[in-house]
Amino acid sequence: MALHNNRHLTTEQLSALLDKQLSSQEQTEYDAHMQTCPQCQSTLVDLQQTVRLLHALPQPALPRSFVLPVGVTPLQARPVHQVRTVPQIPQRQHVWQSYMRNSVRVLSAIAAVIGLVFILSSALVILPHGGGASSSTTSAPGGTAPHIVTPHITNPGTTCDRNHAVPSGACSTPTLQPQRTPSATNPPNQNRQALNLNTPGGYLGLGSILLLLGILGVVLTRRRPRRE
Amino acid sequence: MAKLVRDDEEQLIIRSQHGDVNAFNQLVLHYQQTAYGVAFRMLGDAEAAADVTQDVFIAAFRNIQTFRVGSSFRAWLLRIASNMACDHWRRIKRHTIESLDALTDEEEPHSVSELGALTASRQDENPEAYLLSQELQDLIQCGLQELPLDQRIAVILCDIEGLTYEEIAATTQVLPGTVRSRIARGRARLRIYLQKHRELLPRNYRLPNDTD
């Protein structure tokens, strides 16, 4: 803190001067000021007296020993008064583990949803004449990802128009390969391309695997209740 | 009790981290006076301070694995102690002393009754000085309890327990500049409080800025 001429030292500056917590430049400046300023000298003496009184306080006598009983383990140690909460000391490991667990849980949930979508869309195709009778655009149940599954099934026998992008296995004719157009918003297409699934059965299998993995991940990362 | 050598202390901490309660109790014996002193000066009540101190050591043993060997055990322990004392203070809302502005010269400062029986003053002090010391202790303790918690812990750790600014910064998890500010403001407020009750101060402690 720079000292401006004609201004007195602040309480904080005087306090730091008392504790010798100054830089060499500050020390020089403040010492020079103290030599010419009776007001600051008086305030410093006040502070010194106050600190001296605090120094003079005797240590309070211990009412008892605070040693822990022999045989206590860290898990068994409990506060004397249960109503008081023991402040937890932040543990970086626990924060990191919590972050990882949450991330895995979210990814598992996403995988489960995608798997469910695959299964349902495959089922619509595999079911005999079940998908062909539909003349309207169907979407995944629950509207989980309506923009992903937009089959254009008009009537039986209708082939997929390869000139049009068909996001997912919406074609009623299993033998035809739907147009595979890469889309940044269409993960199932990318997955299908990667696995080269040609049949709804393969799609169904992939969906089952994803659903199973997703459910497993969510269950395993479930937060267990703490034992108090 | 002989001062623990740093290496001995580290060994005790490591053994404590492996569940050795006897080793931890050696640390308790070494630091219990400091921890109790901080709690007592923070709260002004012997029973509450004893409870908090016991909780501090229990919490310290439970969380001993989180302590990084090589860093200051005293700062770590006092951090627990100050946090728990502050929590206790906030919880019971101990505001039996009126605010600084409301105090008048005619009013007696709040007397913490337990203080008189708990001083560790030596027996060879003359009785008159001893009485004055008890009253003065009461006065200073009341003044400390007038301070906001952050200033109170800073003043206690610096001027009563003798910690450096860096140690206080480590204990309270703030920057040294903040420590410096809190100590200064705490001392200033305490000085104002003592000036209002200057008649209780011993002659040689009379503040030079007294108007009478």
Side-chain angles (χ1 to χ4, degrees), chain A residues 8-26:
Chain A
H8 297 293
L9 294 176
T10 63
T11 303
E12 185 173 331
Q13 290 170 328
L14 288 169
S15 182
L17 179 66
L18 196 61
D19 295 332
K20 298 181 174 55
Q21 291 284 332
L22 298 171
S23 64
S24 55
Q25 182 184 355
E26 285 174 330

Side-chain angles (χ1 to χ4, degrees), chain A residues 1 10-23 26 30 39 42-91 227-228, chain B residues 19 21-22 24-25 28-29 32-33 36-37 40-41 46 48 50-55 57-59 61-63 65-66 76 79-80 83-84 87-88 91 118-121 133 136-137 140 144 155 158-160 165-166 177 180-181 183-184 187-188 190-191 194-195 201 204-209:
Chain A
M1 275 185 273
T10 63
T11 303
E12 185 173 331
Q13 290 170 328
L14 288 169
S15 182
L17 179 66
L18 196 61
D19 295 332
K20 298 181 174 55
Q21 291 284 332
L22 298 171
S23 64
E26 285 174 330
Y30 296 0
Q39 182 174 340
S42 176
T43 307
L44 184 65
V45 170
D46 284 354
L47 271 178
Q48 283 175 330
Q49 295 282 21
T50 305
V51 172
R52 203 171 297 156
L53 284 172
L54 290 166
H55 283 330
L57 279 174
Q59 284 184 331
L62 281 176
R64 64 173 191 267
S65 172
F66 294 100
V67 295
L68 302 182
V70 177
V72 169
T73 63
L75 288 176
Q76 292 177 7
R78 291 290 180 268
V80 171
H81 297 271
Q82 294 291 342
V83 294
R84 296 204 184 100
T85 57
V86 177
Q88 295 296 323
I89 298 173
Q91 298 180 20
R227 288 179 55 190
E228 289 296 331
Chain B
V21 68
N22 289 325
F24 184 77
N25 281 335
V28 172
L29 291 174
Q32 60 181 357
Q33 180 67 67
Y36 178 74
F40 182 82
R41 293 301 173 196
D51 289 342
V52 167
T53 304
Q54 189 69 77
D55 289 346
F57 286 114
I58 291 173
F61 189 55
R62 289 181 71 187
N63 295 281
Q65 283 84 2
T66 66
W76 182 79
R79 191 189 329 157
I80 301 174
N83 286 342
M84 296 188 100
D87 287 347
H88 183 89
R91 191 165 42 246
L118 295 174
T119 179
S121 299
S133 176
L136 190 53
Q137 289 176 44
I140 297 170
L144 283 173
V155 168
C158 181
D159 293 330
I160 298 178
Y165 279 28
E166 289 71 29
R180 174 167 145 166
S181 171
I183 290 172
R187 285 170 174 171
L190 187 59
R191 167 174 156 258
L194 294 177
Q195 281 182 331
L201 294 174
N204 56 330
Y205 282 126
R206 287 298 169 89
L207 302 174
N209 278 346

Side-chain angles (χ1 to χ4, degrees), chain B residues 8 18 21 33 51 85 97 105 124 128 139 152 174 199:
Chain B
D8 294 339
H18 288 87
V21 68
Q33 180 67 67
D51 289 342
I97 303 169
D105 287 344
D124 54 358
E128 186 177 346
L139 180 65
R152 192 185 317 173
V174 297
E199 68 281 359

